[in-house]
Amino acid sequence: MTTPNTSTSNTPITPQPSGTHATAPDPGHGNGNGNGNGNGNGGSRSDSTAADAVLWIELLLHQFPELLVELAPSYRSPSAPRAAPSGHGPAPAGPTRAEREEALRAEQAHGLTPSGSRTSPVRLHISDAVRDITDGVIELDEAVHDRLRMPRPRRERVSGRLLRVAGLLDRAAADDVLLEHIRDEVRRMARRCTRALGGAEPVVRVAGRCPWCDSVSLRAFPARRAVLCVNPACRCTDRACDCRTDPAHRHAWSEGAWVRLAAESGGDLTELTGATADTARREGGR
């Protein structure tokens, strides 16, 4: 398995202009709403998708090294004194960065953990996230090269592969399906990285009143592409909805119900749609 990168680039990723590659998008992707009428908005749509992909890649480049730090077990109790008592030898030093990287490689390749005393075990949810993201980046890098009919990419660390994918976004702009796949995959991995680090799911307040309980408790959850009523006492009349029987469940409106929700709640559909937009700016700015 390719060793994940433990460093990140400080240079912002800037995709090349993609308008010249998106003049003839695939059917169903030409106007940004999926009806394929070819009204000439394909270039701006590709530009927007590429820009969002860049932001998700930058977020992942920033957070993945933090995930590796969380994975490395602590070899010294935080409450232990830093200085050795008089007359005793120096306290054993914690592992160096190289040792932590080697421990990670051994753990990933063989499921082995380093011997010796340590105060906290490797957390499985962190280890699973590291593996998922590492494998996902490798598969994405190879898929992009295959789709663009390029030679198989050389082995590289996670950060190197992400930067390589970012450098191919201008060529991918000619293929809306590929471009959206890149954006969706890096978004998924960045989100998993954020959640593993303890980040909360973004929530946006939505104007209007809940059609069921009449309270101002509507909230948009962009990661789920849904609007929920967060009032614990809210109950709808839909017999199939679990909010009637499960106190922890909240009634939700998926994308297909937003037009009706905006009309019944007194809200604005444009504002509601903007609140549910799943963007890297919203995720990374919290």
Side-chain angles (χ1 to χ4, degrees):
M1 179 177 293
T2 303
T3 305
N5 193 13
T6 56
S7 62
T8 182
S9 172
N10 294 324
T11 304
I13 303 171
T14 305
Q16 298 298 319
S18 57
T20 57
H21 298 274
T23 54
D26 292 343
H29 295 275
N31 63 353
N33 58 12
N35 61 17
N37 62 10
N39 65 355
N41 292 334
S44 60
R45 181 171 181 266
S46 295
D47 290 342
S48 176
T49 303
D52 207 34
V54 165
L55 292 175
W56 285 112
I57 290 173
E58 288 180 339
L59 181 62
L60 190 55
L61 283 169
H62 174 72
Q63 291 189 334
F64 189 68
E66 298 179 14
L67 199 65
L68 299 182
V69 172
E70 290 292 322
L71 177 65
S74 171
Y75 284 73
R76 178 179 178 277
S77 172
S79 60
R82 293 185 176 275
S86 177
H88 293 270
T96 65
R97 180 172 181 170
E99 290 171 337
R100 289 197 301 270
E101 292 180 5
E102 181 61 32
L104 174 61
R105 285 194 291 271
E107 197 275 338
Q108 286 185 316
H110 309 293
L112 301 176
T113 55
S115 59
S117 60
R118 59 181 183 270
T119 59
S120 62
V122 173
R123 288 172 291 175
L124 292 180
H125 75 285
I126 298 291
S127 177
D128 288 345
V130 169
R131 291 182 179 183
D132 175 47
I133 294 170
T134 302
D135 291 346
V137 170
I138 293 172
E139 292 171 4
L140 178 62
D141 187 24
E142 293 179 348
V144 170
H145 279 72
D146 180 68
R147 182 83 172 192
L148 295 176
R149 293 182 173 84
M150 298 174 63
R152 185 182 179 90
R154 68 182 184 277
R155 294 171 62 89
E156 183 59 86
R157 294 185 176 185
V158 167
S159 65
R161 288 182 182 269
L162 286 171
L163 290 170
R164 189 157 59 201
V165 169
L168 293 173
L169 287 177
D170 60 324
R171 296 184 61 176
D175 186 338
D176 286 349
V177 174
L178 175 61
L179 190 59
E180 291 179 3
H181 175 71
I182 295 172
R183 189 270 316 276
D184 292 346
E185 276 299 291
V186 293
R187 177 174 60 191
R188 178 190 68 80
M189 291 184 286
R191 263 211 225 98
R192 173 145 197 193
C193 190
T194 300
R195 304 297 172 261
L197 290 171
E201 181 179 3
V203 182
V204 183
R205 183 168 183 168
V206 177
R209 292 183 174 273
C210 173
W212 300 114
C213 65
D214 200 40
S215 64
V216 286
S217 53
L218 297 177
R219 302 292 184 271
F221 290 77
R224 308 183 203 182
R225 294 290 292 170
V227 177
L228 279 68
C229 176
V230 297
N231 178 13
C234 182
R235 298 292 181 269
C236 72
T237 58
D238 184 358
R239 293 185 179 276
C241 184
D242 290 336
C243 75
R244 296 168 56 87
T245 57
D246 184 358
H249 187 82
R250 299 290 179 266
H251 186 82
W253 290 266
S254 60
E255 188 170 0
W258 291 348
V259 173
R260 181 177 177 182
L261 173 62
E264 294 180 347
S265 67
D268 180 80
L269 180 60
T270 302
E271 180 186 357
L272 188 152
T273 304
T276 51
D278 189 13
T279 66
R281 290 183 178 88
R282 175 174 288 133
E283 185 90 10
R286 292 180 300 112

